[in-house]
Amino acid sequence: MGLLSKKDTKLILDPLADDNPITIQVLGICSALAITAQLKPSIVMAISVIFVLGIGNVVISLMRNIIPSKIRIIVQLIVVATLVIIVDQVLKAFAYELSKELSVFIGLIITNCIIMGRFEAFALGNGPWRSFLDGVGNALGYGVILIIVGFFRELLGSGTLFGFKVLGDSVEKTGLYAIGYENNGFMVLPPMALIVVGIIIWIQRSRNKALIEEN
């Protein structure tokens, strides 16, 4: 018997496609629009949410039988806030410039609908292992969309990836710029994030008509 059962595998794989928290559930859109102008902050935000949601789901699951119903939301907020503070301090210690770039958006993980939604919908009713898989799966689904959006926005808007020039030098007119290519400045503006996310939603739902009927 493998480490993951078929049901456990679905907890990780379903949020990557058929039940993606951004493209299907339409959650966590704010950060998808705000921090995806470059690929690096998109990846860091994705990793941060994987940590917070994975560990947070486990903590809430372990405490599920002792949390009074009337204060469960407060307890959940304390758990996620503690984990976000840990992430913020680690970023400030090891990637200070990036932490300044993400600034308030790391703090806004606390109010991310995906995290509170998984606490309520899954962690409060399941054991730690399955809650961990559910948290990681949903965070991966969220992170994949951020990375895709960040990849295209930085590549087409700045001609770079991770800050490195990959399409050539726009000043010296090398690479694609030698044949007349120009960066699309609109790609680095917030409205383009919404458009890119919309295109991803359209592609995904057009490939699966059942999702359109269901949602």
Side-chain angles (χ1 to χ4, degrees), residues 75-151:
V75 173
Q76 291 169 15
L77 286 172
I78 292 172
V79 169
V80 69
T82 301
L83 294 170
V84 168
I85 289 172
I86 293 173
V87 170
D88 185 50
Q89 292 303 308
V90 170
L91 284 176
K92 286 181 178 177
F94 298 100
Y96 183 68
E97 291 301 321
L98 189 56
S99 74
K100 288 199 301 182
E101 186 176 344
L102 290 171
S103 62
V104 69
F105 299 109
I106 288 293
L108 287 177
I109 293 176
I110 297 172
T111 59
N112 192 311
C113 299
I114 299 171
I115 294 175
M116 298 303 294
R118 297 326 297 169
F119 285 177
E120 280 284 299
F122 200 92
L124 285 175
N126 291 273
W129 175 240
R130 299 196 75 232
S131 295
F132 174 73
L133 296 178
D134 176 81
V136 170
N138 277 274
L140 283 173
Y142 165 86
V144 164
I145 301 301
L146 256 65
I147 292 169
I148 291 173
V149 175
F151 175 87

Side-chain angles (χ1 to χ4, degrees), residues 39 147-157 161 187 196 200:
L39 186 56
I147 292 169
I148 291 173
V149 175
F151 175 87
F152 284 107
R153 289 185 69 195
E154 182 177 357
L155 180 65
L156 301 179
L161 288 175
M187 290 295 292
V196 175
I200 295 172

Side-chain angles (χ1 to χ4, degrees), residues 163-180:
F164 296 102
K165 298 175 181 178
V166 296
L167 299 182
D169 193 308
S170 59
V171 177
E172 298 181 1
K173 300 299 180 182
T174 60
L176 290 181
Y177 300 103
I179 59 175

Side-chain angles (χ1 to χ4, degrees), residues 2-96:
L3 180 63
L4 299 179
S5 67
K6 187 174 182 180
K7 288 184 177 180
D8 290 343
T9 303
K10 283 176 63 66
L11 291 176
I12 296 178
L13 296 183
D14 280 2
L16 293 175
D18 292 346
D19 196 25
N20 187 277
I22 291 182
T23 60
I24 302 302
Q25 301 175 41
V26 197
L27 300 174
I29 292 291
C30 295
S31 54
L33 304 183
I35 53 90
T36 53
Q38 293 184 322
L39 186 56
K40 184 184 290 185
S42 302
I43 292 176
V44 171
M45 178 63 80
I47 294 173
S48 300
V49 172
I50 290 172
F51 171 78
V52 172
L53 186 49
I55 301 301
N57 255 15
V58 172
V59 173
I60 296 299
S61 176
L62 290 171
M63 298 173 62
R64 69 188 186 281
N65 294 323
I66 62 172
I67 300 176
S69 178
K70 291 183 179 180
I71 64 168
R72 71 182 191 282
I73 300 298
I74 297 175
V75 173
Q76 291 169 15
L77 286 172
I78 292 172
V79 169
V80 69
T82 301
L83 294 170
V84 168
I85 289 172
I86 293 173
V87 170
D88 185 50
Q89 292 303 308
V90 170
L91 284 176
K92 286 181 178 177
F94 298 100
Y96 183 68

